[in-house]
Amino acid sequence: MADPLDEAEARFRALNSYQVTVQSTAADGERQVIHYFYRKPGWVRMEFVQPHAGLVLIYDPAVRKVRLWPFGLNHRPTLTFAPDNPLVRSRSGQRIDRSDVGALLANLLQLRARGRMTPLGDTELAAQSAAGFDILGDAGNAVAGVHRYRVWLAHDTRFPLKVESFDAAGDLIETVDMRDVEIDVRFSERFFAP
């Protein structure tokens, strides 16, 4: 049987695009709901539902810029930022140009290389069969501030459906649920460049 993380990473490399509803909850209870769209070679569109309903961010990998519409597309103002600008980074510091599933899988693989992975068993998430894995870094090892991940991958696609991250003290950093996943979506040419 293939290694589940290696298989997930290989399947990500093979896809062209995806869309997903991301629901993240920080340890303090702050919640975000975002419709997330991705197309290779790195286009990202994020439509915020909660908080900041209507806000849209689009990352253009060719020019390495983020365009922001605070009140929705076709509403002024439109602002442009570098992806490392604090105004377009998450509270935890995550950048839009490193927010896709491929970046997550790279972090999981990197932590596993400096630690260990153990199975958590099978479950069902959002009406999908999934396998869970606990990835724990060796003492002193963390990736992007995360010492431990618990991740659940869909059995059929190996796409991540849920991720919990923990710091070195074992405290929960964030829980991310990914729902309504669609792979290899055909987006119009204007979808990422309105």
Side-chain angles (χ1 to χ4, degrees):
M1 184 158 122
D3 177 273
L5 281 185
D6 290 339
E7 186 179 350
E9 200 268 337
R11 288 186 183 209
F12 175 79
R13 280 195 323 266
L15 64 74
N16 293 310
S17 64
Y18 69 88
Q19 67 184 35
V20 62
T21 299
V22 177
Q23 298 176 3
S24 66
T25 306
D28 64 4
E30 182 180 310
R31 190 166 183 252
Q32 283 189 334
V33 179
I34 301 168
H35 296 301
Y36 186 98
F37 309 89
Y38 174 86
R39 183 178 71 198
K40 287 183 178 174
W43 288 93
V44 175
R45 176 171 167 162
M46 299 169 75
E47 299 175 355
F48 282 71
V49 176
Q50 179 186 345
H52 317 300
L55 182 140
V56 176
L57 295 171
I58 296 180
Y59 174 69
D60 180 341
V63 296
R64 296 185 179 156
K65 295 289 182 189
V66 180
R67 291 179 59 203
L68 181 144
W69 291 263
F71 306 108
L73 289 177
N74 304 319
H75 292 88
R76 295 202 180 276
T78 301
L79 308 167
T80 303
F81 299 97
D84 61 350
N85 187 301
L87 293 175
V88 291
R89 291 177 82 155
S90 73
R91 192 173 76 163
S92 65
Q94 185 173 22
R95 297 167 46 140
I96 190 171
D97 59 337
R98 297 181 186 152
S99 63
D100 61 84
V101 165
L104 168 66
L105 293 170
N107 287 350
L108 296 173
L109 287 163
Q110 187 178 351
L111 189 61
R112 183 186 67 181
R114 296 186 285 174
R116 65 183 183 277
M117 182 172 85
T118 55
L120 294 171
D122 293 339
T123 191
E124 191 167 300
L125 296 169
Q128 286 190 273
S129 176
F133 302 92
D134 184 73
I135 303 165
L136 178 64
D138 291 334
N141 283 312
V143 174
V146 178
H147 178 66
R148 176 187 218 153
Y149 283 106
R150 284 194 286 204
V151 61
W152 288 264
L153 304 173
H155 276 294
D156 58 350
T157 63
R158 290 295 187 205
F159 197 91
L161 299 178
K162 182 174 182 175
V163 181
E164 297 174 339
S165 54
F166 300 84
D167 63 19
D171 296 326
L172 180 68
I173 298 170
E174 182 180 47
T175 300
V176 177
D177 289 294
M178 295 183 235
R179 302 183 185 256
D180 309 317
V181 177
E182 292 183 48
I183 295 171
D184 287 329
V185 178
R186 288 181 168 242
F187 295 112
S188 72
E189 283 305 313
R190 302 286 304 155
F191 188 77
F192 292 96

